Amino acid sequence: MINRELLKPKSIVVIGGSNNVHKPGGAVVRNILQGGYEGTLRVVNPKEDEIQGIKAFHDARELPPTELAILVVAAKMCPDYVELLAKEKGTKAFIIISAGFGEETHAGAVLEQRILDTCEQYGASLIGPNCIGLLNRNHHSVFTKPIPTLNPKGVDFVSGSGATAVFILESAVIKGLQFNSVWSIGNGKQIGIEDVLQYMDENFNAETDSLVKLLYIENISNPDKLLFHASSLIRKGCRIAAIKAGSSESGSRAASSHTGAIASSDSAVEALFRKAGIVRCFSREELTTVGCIFTLPPLNGRNFAIVTHAGGPGVMLTDALSKGGLNVPKIEGPLADELKEQLFPGSAVANPIDILATGTAKELGLAIDYCEQKFDDIDAIAVIYGTPGLTTLYEAYETLHQKIQECKKPIFPILPSLHTAGPEVAEFLQKGHVNFSDEVTLATALSQIMNTPAPAPPEVQLYGIDIPRLHKIIFREMNRMEAEGTKGGYLAPDTVHEILECAGIPMVPELVASDKDELISFATRVGYPVVAKVVGPVHKSDVGGVTLNIRTPEHLALEFERMMKIEGATGVMVQKMLKGTELFIGAKYEERFGHVVLCGLGGIFVEVLKDVSSGLAPLSYDEAYSMIRSLRGYKILKGTRGQAGINEQKYAEIIVRLSTLLRFATEIKEMDINPLLADEHDVVAVDARILIERS
């Protein structure tokens, strides 16, 4: 729970505060004092009479009632202090900076639980333990530096790691990014990242609250809660970016299906962020760069003009923007010629607009004005301006400051000379601006933002899925497996066929049998050529269990006899042979997250290229289209070199239908549909397997 006493306490006591500002107890007192805290600050120290000008209490029992307590003492002492303060001093909020709890030992976990039980009993908030503290505009209750510039429209930053929070703040401050609050949740025993988002969501005021949230996450304990409140905040006008660390620890583990080998906890995180509309970042620099972008006017198109006085950085930015799906369109025509005539000889205006190393504040302002007022197909302006030692940067940066205030199109300042022009850059930042010192990092962050979809609608739409029939099939198969003494396993092809029918997924005509004449009769009825596949072994291709383009009954008879001799064979499947682009859809059940749905190119490419996109079931059509279009091989699906593309709408429909079906079948732990064959008219499932286990 998060209460007023935690956020805006009228009184604070630091248990373990000291005069040594090089230790946490002294540093937190210093930061609170220097932060201009307006309430009453008290300190408990059994050995000192005065702490940094404040009269010290030798014993916490001597304290008057105090709203917020910050504990910087040994872990073993914390439970008794919490109980004393909550019971006798009316303390309703605790920040426990001390370490040595559940993150280290079982004994520490017991201490931690005692603290939580006391806080729950007395209705108190608890941040930590094992954190750097809480920083907001009311009190600077942290023991670390830097203390960033705080203002109501700054960023809200929530971190699961104290040390990482400090490093992220270092990265942010040098860019000019300002903050509204910094939350270090530590072990998150009571208040985790999801709880902070819940509080921000349920108490959101668009007029007064920050619209930017940055997250550093080490553990997602409640994915549904994170999804609900993050997407809710984004729908209310907020923008959220996050790093999820530790997603690849389990890696690509060995499994019996393509999906099991590809899907990992990282796939679940990717799917969750996509569904919520969270911009995913992978480094501190990327996170703080995205945060800076969020403070600028929104980018309403993909066309950039680059104004630079250095050719190389302009070229690198052009390459990076293009790689990320953004455009640097050629500027030409009478207006371009008009601008060129007003710049120094040798300047280029085709985009990038290179005003040369001798370009002054006047030329810089002129180029920006043309991009803002006359070049209609430009949506945003990137300005690269450092110091070659030829111009006065104060004047150039003052011009840039004025243009950022005047222009409706967003301007991205790239000021790389942090060493040779440190004072000039610092003055620019003090005016409330941000700086992207590296153009490629900026382009990467921009592409991440532009390629992040809006939050998915929260409603589950059944899309004609036959849920009652699905439940009957799952119930029947689970009972059968239980009677056989197993907890789960792969379903027979005819049962897989039934389940796909429940989702309305079109399938190629097929028959499974152990009778040769029955299969030959089926092949004659549907027409040759056909495909034969062994039934029993999971990886059919590995054991020679797949034969394509069978054109005669005699050939089919020979293949049947050969396949029935393969170890583990229980029958043979015959399918009508179709042509088309091979696609893949898979799903894997991840604890706490639900089903992660994957799509991509099919056949062997799903294993070789691993070009897949992930989403969290159930999926909307917008999510499905976003997944398809984010594939590296999307150009193949669109059609290239005279080849027709696939029916993208039907591919998306199958993804949506499958994801909705999975929402009602947690017993399905893994599923592959590989391949589906697609052309410009239809998408048809050719081969599928489903693993079920009792939940």
Side-chain angles (χ1 to χ4, degrees):
M1 59 173 289
I2 296 173
N3 55 23
R4 193 269 308 163
E5 289 84 355
L6 177 66
L7 299 178
K8 196 172 184 180
K10 296 176 183 177
S11 54
I12 299 175
V13 59
V14 180
I15 308 293
S18 73
N19 285 307
N20 187 347
V21 296
H22 299 293
K23 291 186 177 181
V28 72
V29 173
R30 174 202 61 199
N31 287 343
I32 294 172
L33 290 172
Q34 292 181 353
Y37 173 60
E38 296 179 354
T40 302
L41 178 61
R42 304 182 176 109
V43 180
V44 172
N45 185 309
K47 298 179 181 179
E48 300 282 348
D49 295 327
E50 186 177 283
I51 300 297
Q52 299 183 45
I54 301 172
K55 180 182 178 299
F57 292 85
H58 291 166
D59 192 321
R61 286 171 290 192
E62 302 170 357
L63 285 167
T66 306
E67 292 190 342
L68 168 64
I70 304 167
L71 274 59
V72 200
V73 293
K76 63 182 180 181
M77 302 169 65
C78 289
D80 291 339
Y81 271 120
V82 171
E83 185 170 359
L84 169 69
L85 293 166
K87 183 178 180 181
E88 299 183 17
K89 306 302 177 182
T91 304
K92 290 293 185 180
F94 294 88
I95 298 173
I96 301 182
I97 288 172
S98 315
F101 291 92
E103 78 279 3
E104 290 188 6
T105 64
H106 173 71
V110 173
L111 296 175
E112 198 170 358
Q113 188 61 45
R114 273 189 61 197
I115 292 170
L116 177 62
D117 292 343
T118 302
C119 288
E120 297 292 322
Q121 179 183 352
Y122 292 97
S125 292
L126 171 64
I127 294 285
N130 185 30
C131 68
I132 66 169
L134 173 64
L135 171 70
N136 63 26
R137 288 178 289 115
N138 301 312
H139 61 105
H140 298 182
S141 295
V142 295
F143 70 89
T144 55
K145 287 189 174 182
I147 303 293
T149 302
L150 299 175
N151 72 61
K153 293 301 180 181
V155 171
D156 287 320
F157 173 42
V158 190
S159 176
S161 164
T164 307
V166 172
F167 299 151
I168 289 172
L169 288 173
E170 292 272 9
S171 172
V173 166
I174 201 170
K175 295 181 177 67
L177 184 61
Q178 299 183 6
F179 288 78
N180 178 55
S181 67
V182 176
W183 300 68
S184 165
I185 64 162
N187 293 358
K189 190 62 178 178
Q190 182 199 70
I191 298 172
I193 289 176
E194 299 94 332
D195 301 293
V196 178
L197 285 178
Q198 178 181 4
Y199 180 85
M200 291 177 176
D201 180 26
E202 293 176 348
N203 296 275
F204 182 72
N205 184 326
E207 297 298 320
T208 59
D209 290 356
S210 168
L211 299 180
V212 179
K213 321 292 180 188
L214 301 183
L215 313 175
Y216 174 79
I217 305 171
E218 291 188 339
N219 177 52
I220 300 176
S221 59
N222 192 330
D224 287 341
K225 194 172 186 178
L226 178 65
L227 170 62
F228 181 86
H229 292 293
S231 56
S232 175
L233 281 165
I234 293 170
R235 291 190 191 97
K236 291 174 180 175
C238 292
R239 309 179 80 182
I240 302 178
I243 296 173
K244 169 61 178 78
S247 296
S248 60
E249 285 181 358
S250 56
S252 295
R253 51 200 179 275
S256 53
S257 71
H258 300 301
T259 304
I262 295 172
S264 66
S265 58
D266 189 61
S267 301
V269 171
E270 185 75 26
L272 176 64
F273 283 13
R274 180 191 297 274
K275 197 173 194 68
I278 297 171
V279 177
R280 188 172 188 190
C281 301
F282 296 91
S283 71
R284 301 190 304 271
E285 284 298 305
E286 192 174 340
L287 182 68
T288 55
T289 300
V290 169
C292 289
I293 294 170
F294 282 167
T295 66
L296 300 179
L299 183 59
N300 294 318
R302 291 179 175 265
N303 290 343
F304 271 76
I306 300 172
V307 179
T308 180
H309 68 168
V315 173
M316 288 190 287
L317 180 56
T318 300
D319 289 343
L321 289 171
S322 300
K323 183 179 179 181
L326 300 165
N327 308 315
V328 183
K330 185 176 182 180
I331 297 174
E332 56 186 348
L335 289 174
D337 296 337
E338 182 180 293
L339 171 61
K340 186 175 177 66
E341 288 177 4
Q342 299 178 66
L343 299 176
F344 289 137
S347 298
V349 298
N351 204 12
I353 300 170
D354 189 346
I355 64 174
L356 305 180
T358 52
T360 67
K362 177 184 175 182
E363 284 71 38
L364 175 63
L366 187 65
I368 293 173
D369 285 343
Y370 268 76
C371 294
E372 166 71 11
Q373 301 167 12
K374 299 190 177 185
F375 298 149
D376 293 335
D377 60 343
I378 295 300
D379 303 306
I381 308 162
V383 175
I384 304 173
Y385 204 99
T387 172
L390 300 176
T391 58
T392 304
L393 286 186
Y394 283 113
E395 293 179 6
Y397 290 173
E398 176 60 25
T399 296
L400 184 56
H401 163 66
Q402 294 295 335
K403 297 304 178 184
I404 289 173
Q405 291 183 312
E406 296 169 3
C407 293
K408 294 181 180 179
K409 296 176 182 178
I411 296 177
F412 297 86
I414 302 167
L415 315 180
S417 303
L418 301 181
H419 176 66
T420 56
E424 294 94 329
V425 173
E427 182 179 284
F428 177 79
L429 297 181
Q430 285 171 3
K431 295 175 180 177
H433 301 301
V434 294
N435 173 33
F436 307 95
S437 60
D438 182 78
E439 59 278 350
V440 174
T441 303
L442 169 62
T444 302
L446 280 166
S447 65
Q448 283 290 90
I449 293 170
M450 295 298 289
N451 294 323
T452 298
E459 301 82 13
V460 177
Q461 301 185 43
L462 296 182
Y463 297 102
I465 308 299
D466 193 341
I467 302 301
R469 184 186 178 196
L470 171 68
H471 285 162
K472 288 180 181 178
I473 296 169
I474 296 292
F475 181 75
R476 180 192 74 205
E477 292 302 310
M478 293 306 304
N479 285 342
R480 177 184 62 78
M481 290 180 179
E482 189 172 329
E484 295 172 354
T486 61
K487 294 182 179 180
Y490 279 94
L491 298 177
D494 55 343
T495 306
V496 172
H497 199 281
E498 287 183 85
I499 289 177
L500 296 184
E501 281 183 343
C502 292
I505 295 175
M507 291 164 284
V508 65
E510 66 180 32
L511 177 68
V512 177
S514 56
D515 181 274
K516 177 171 60 179
D517 294 335
E518 188 177 352
L519 290 173
I520 291 174
S521 175
F522 170 79
T524 302
R525 187 166 64 253
V526 300
Y528 291 93
V530 296
V531 178
K533 302 177 182 179
V534 66
V535 175
V538 173
H539 292 297
K540 303 174 181 64
S541 299
D542 294 347
V543 294
V546 178
T547 303
L548 308 177
N549 203 29
I550 298 174
R551 295 184 172 274
T552 65
E554 292 78 14
H555 187 186
L556 178 57
L558 289 172
E559 290 301 331
F560 173 84
E561 292 169 1
R562 182 184 66 81
M563 289 183 185
M564 289 301 292
K565 296 176 183 178
I566 294 174
E567 184 178 353
T570 60
V572 173
M573 174 191 292
V574 171
Q575 296 175 323
K576 174 69 177 174
M577 186 169 176
L578 303 177
K579 292 183 179 180
T581 301
E582 291 189 342
L583 305 176
F584 160 81
I585 300 176
K588 188 175 190 306
Y589 185 79
E590 285 278 350
E591 286 296 331
R592 296 180 290 127
F593 287 84
H595 283 96
V596 179
V597 180
L598 307 176
C599 73
L601 290 170
I604 63 171
F605 293 104
V606 70
E607 290 180 334
V608 175
L609 298 181
K610 292 183 172 60
D611 178 19
V612 295
S613 293
S614 58
L616 201 60
L619 296 164
S620 66
Y621 271 98
D622 285 344
E623 288 179 278
Y625 281 122
S626 174
M627 290 168 63
I628 294 168
R629 292 167 186 173
S630 67
L631 294 167
R632 296 193 302 275
Y634 178 61
K635 289 183 179 179
I636 297 174
L637 306 186
K638 285 280 290 182
T640 57
R641 297 194 176 185
Q643 298 294 318
I646 70 162
N647 189 318
E648 191 175 331
Q649 178 183 347
K650 291 198 173 182
Y651 188 28
E653 181 178 344
I654 291 174
I655 294 171
V656 170
R657 286 179 171 273
L658 177 66
S659 75
T660 307
L661 176 140
L662 292 168
R663 171 68 176 77
F664 297 93
T666 57
E667 296 87 356
I668 296 177
K669 301 306 180 187
E670 289 184 18
M671 171 185 283
D672 279 346
I673 307 179
N674 184 34
L676 299 100
L677 288 177
D679 57 24
E680 65 269 34
H681 304 296
D682 215 345
V683 181
V684 178
V686 174
D687 197 6
R689 53 178 177 262
I690 296 175
L691 173 69
I692 67 171
E693 292 177 0
R694 190 171 298 280
S695 298

